[in-house]
């Protein structure tokens, strides 16, 4: 695609307010002779004619000074990270549209002291900023200031690779520097139906052992991003094919009994990240979940769901042939999110029906009588309250009472 077309596409993809905002930044940068670019994923998606949701602006120079000048002239506030040369402009009311902030980044170089290390960052040229990136398709910059508007910087032939549908690293040490890039490569390959270049694939075996050196947070983040993709199932299978799951934990690669196919369902209950993790791992034992958690450090909320789901399989048979009130006693100990996932993955049958009834009706059933009513009737507060209220709830659940009158009658009997 012609690069001027890219810049025009960018303008057209922006709403009126966002466009006015970008114009203000461009004017300021032009006045200061500061080259200003959009870089990376936004350029890639423009060239693919995909929607560009958000982007940063990269200045070849000091982005913090630029952000401060803008906020002084037009209002709003700035927070800055001097170590990284980045600034966030909290926009004044009239420049906010669907975003409250704009990120302004200084071009920088990154170097790695040893495999899988965090990079050493220094300010740099736009050429250096492109060189630090993961793939050629993510290493293009579109210049926006002054007369340079629409110039494309494509040092690594990213546009060619986009056209050919190839994911290619920029140099042979790329995966050693940052092994998360192997997971990113699979994500872009799967998302755009591209192919990872042969020479890039050939670099995986040497870098794979260094996955172990990545922090829990870094590796989990990549898996989170993969699970967020509509195409997650084929990406996970591709990761497995490249032995990139078993090197995190062997149980992650055990697909035989897994419920991965449900990741393709459009059931809204299965669209959250936590549900998708639970579907992936629900066939594993609680010991496996604990071991994987030692490596990935799940959030407390996700861990609770995963533990719940892992235990459920053992308890499945105990749910057969129960009265609703008996089933509720068992199901109450599980998180609702876990039950939604389990229900979606279960085949049609008695247990799935029980779960669905619990989720749609039973869970919400409460007696009309409250602790306050019991107090008014002169019963001294204590464990007895809970016992009576549970008994009334069970009566509603099992159809023993159907009206408020009948509940009152049962309560009178219980109190007698
Ligand atoms: P996505 O659509 O997946 O969000 P994106 O390109 O916007 O794609 P980000 O993770 O937001 O992805 O990263 C922005 C840019 O930063 C990328 O396009 C890439 O150029 C660079 N980048 C991100 N992660 C890495 C990495 N691990 N190594 C090198 N460059 C990276």
């Amino acid at each position: 695609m012609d690069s001027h077309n890219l810049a025009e596409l960018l303008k057209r993809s922006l709403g009126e307010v966002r466009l006015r905002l970008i114009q203000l930044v461009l004017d300021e940068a032009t006045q200061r002779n500061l080259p200003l670019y959009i870089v990376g994923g936004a350029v890639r998606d423009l060239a693919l004619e995909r929607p560009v949701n958000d982007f940063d602006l990269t200045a070849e120079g000091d982005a913090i000074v630029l952000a401060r000048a803008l906020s002084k002239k037009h209002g709003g506030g700035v927070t800055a990270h001097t170590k990284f040369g980045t600034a966030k402009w909290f926009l004044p009311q009239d420049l906010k549209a669907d975003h409250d902030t704009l990120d302004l980044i200084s071009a920088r170089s990154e170097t790695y002291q040893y495999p899988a290390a965090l990079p050493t960052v220094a300010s740099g040229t736009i050429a250096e900023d492109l060189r630090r990136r993961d793939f050629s398709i993510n290493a293009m910059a579109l210049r926006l200031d002054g007369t340079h508007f629409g110039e494309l910087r494509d040092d690594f032939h990213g546009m060619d690779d986009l056209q050919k549908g190839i994911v290619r690293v920029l140099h042979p040490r790329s995966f050693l520097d940052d092994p998360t890039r192997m997971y990113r490569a699979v994500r872009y390959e799967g998302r755009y139906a591209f192919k990872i270049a042969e020479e890039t694939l050939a670099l995986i075996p040497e870098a794979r052992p260094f996955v172990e050196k990545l922090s829990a947070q870094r590796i989990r983040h990549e898996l989170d991003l993969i699970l967020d993709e509509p195409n997650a199932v084929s990406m996970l299978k591709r990761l497995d094919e490249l032995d990139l799951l078993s090197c995190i934990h062997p149980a992650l690669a055990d697909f035989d009994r897994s419920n991965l196919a449900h990741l393709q369902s459009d059931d809204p209950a299965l669209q959250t990240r936590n549900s998708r993790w639970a579907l992936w791992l629900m066939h594993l034992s609680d010991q496996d979940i604990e071991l994987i958690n030692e490596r990935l450090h799940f959030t407390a909320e996700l861990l609770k769901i995963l533990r719940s789901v892992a235990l459920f399989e053992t308890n499945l048979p105990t749910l057969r042939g129960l009265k609703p009130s008996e089933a509720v006693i068992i199901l109450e100990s599980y998180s609702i999110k876990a039950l939604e996932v389990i229900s979606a993955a279960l085949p049609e049958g008695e247990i799935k029906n029980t779960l669905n009834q619990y989720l749609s009706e039973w869970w919400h059933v409460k007696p009309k009588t409250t602790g306050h009513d019991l107090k008014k009737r002169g019963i001294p507060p204590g464990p007895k309250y809970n016992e009576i209220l549970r008994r009334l709830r069970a009566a509603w659940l099992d159809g023993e009472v159907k009206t408020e009158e009948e509940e009152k009658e049962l309560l009178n009997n219980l109190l007698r």
Side-chain angles (χ1 to χ4, degrees), residues 52-312:
V52 175
N53 298 323
D54 196 22
F55 51 83
D56 316 328
L57 291 171
T58 298
E60 196 170 26
D62 194 336
I64 298 176
V65 170
L66 175 67
R68 292 205 171 119
L70 284 161
S71 98
K72 197 165 168 205
K73 233 183 232 174
H74 306 288
V78 169
T79 58
H81 275 285
T82 35
K83 187 173 161 211
F84 293 103
T86 60
K88 199 177 270 301
W89 180 15
F90 290 85
L91 299 168
Q93 203 57 40
D94 61 322
L95 291 176
K96 281 183 192 172
D98 38 355
H99 298 89
D100 292 348
T101 57
L102 178 72
D103 288 328
L104 294 154
I105 318 283
S106 311
R108 64 179 189 240
S109 68
E110 288 183 353
T111 45
Y112 296 82
Q113 297 200 310
Y114 51 88
L118 289 175
T120 311
V121 173
S123 63
T125 59
I126 192 70
E128 286 167 313
D129 195 279
L130 295 178
R131 210 178 303 143
R132 73 180 171 88
R133 290 172 186 267
D134 45 7
F135 308 112
S136 62
I137 57 170
N138 282 347
M140 292 181 279
L142 186 63
R143 188 159 172 182
L144 302 176
D145 55 294
T147 53
H148 298 280
F149 181 80
E151 283 174 15
L152 183 71
R153 191 74 209 233
D154 183 12
D155 301 2
F156 298 95
H157 309 290
M159 202 57 91
D160 270 0
D161 283 340
L162 264 189
Q163 257 141 25
K164 292 187 196 136
I166 291 177
V167 181
R168 183 196 311 278
V169 289
L170 307 188
H171 57 86
R173 287 192 58 80
S174 185
F175 289 155
L176 289 172
D177 285 346
D178 180 354
T180 66
R181 292 175 185 159
M182 296 187 280
Y183 298 80
R184 297 175 63 83
V186 167
R187 182 156 57 88
Y188 293 119
E189 182 188 54
R191 184 196 291 169
Y192 300 122
F194 281 11
K195 278 276 157 242
I196 301 175
E198 283 302 321
E199 316 86 86
T200 296
L201 277 178
L203 301 172
I204 291 180
E206 192 190 349
R208 197 188 289 118
F210 293 98
V211 169
E212 204 178 295
K213 305 270 180 238
L214 293 170
S215 69
Q217 197 269 340
R218 287 179 73 195
I219 188 76
R220 200 190 64 232
H221 178 63
E222 293 307 323
L223 296 175
D224 280 343
L225 294 178
I226 285 177
L227 285 175
D228 289 346
E229 297 275 340
N231 217 0
V233 178
S234 60
M235 295 178 194
L236 290 175
K237 294 202 165 143
R238 177 69 161 147
L239 285 179
D240 183 34
E241 210 175 277
L242 299 171
D243 285 332
L244 287 171
L245 290 178
S246 53
C247 63
I248 304 173
H249 188 280
L252 292 178
D254 164 16
F255 289 153
D256 291 347
R257 291 183 308 120
S258 85
N259 292 283
L260 275 186
H262 293 282
L263 284 181
Q264 271 138 339
S265 125
D266 37 12
D267 180 344
L270 303 182
Q271 301 310 317
T272 66
R273 197 180 266 178
N274 283 353
S275 319
R276 295 168 75 78
W277 270 104
L279 269 178
W280 178 15
L281 303 184
M282 68 185 297
H283 62 293
L284 299 183
S285 68
D286 45 347
Q287 292 95 314
D288 279 337
I289 295 295
E290 298 308 324
L291 291 172
I292 296 172
N293 181 49
E294 275 174 28
R295 177 67 184 99
L296 295 181
H297 300 182
F298 292 125
T299 60
E301 192 191 350
L302 175 55
L303 185 58
K304 188 169 157 222
I305 296 173
L306 292 175
R307 284 178 174 155
S308 224
V309 169
L311 283 180
F312 193 80

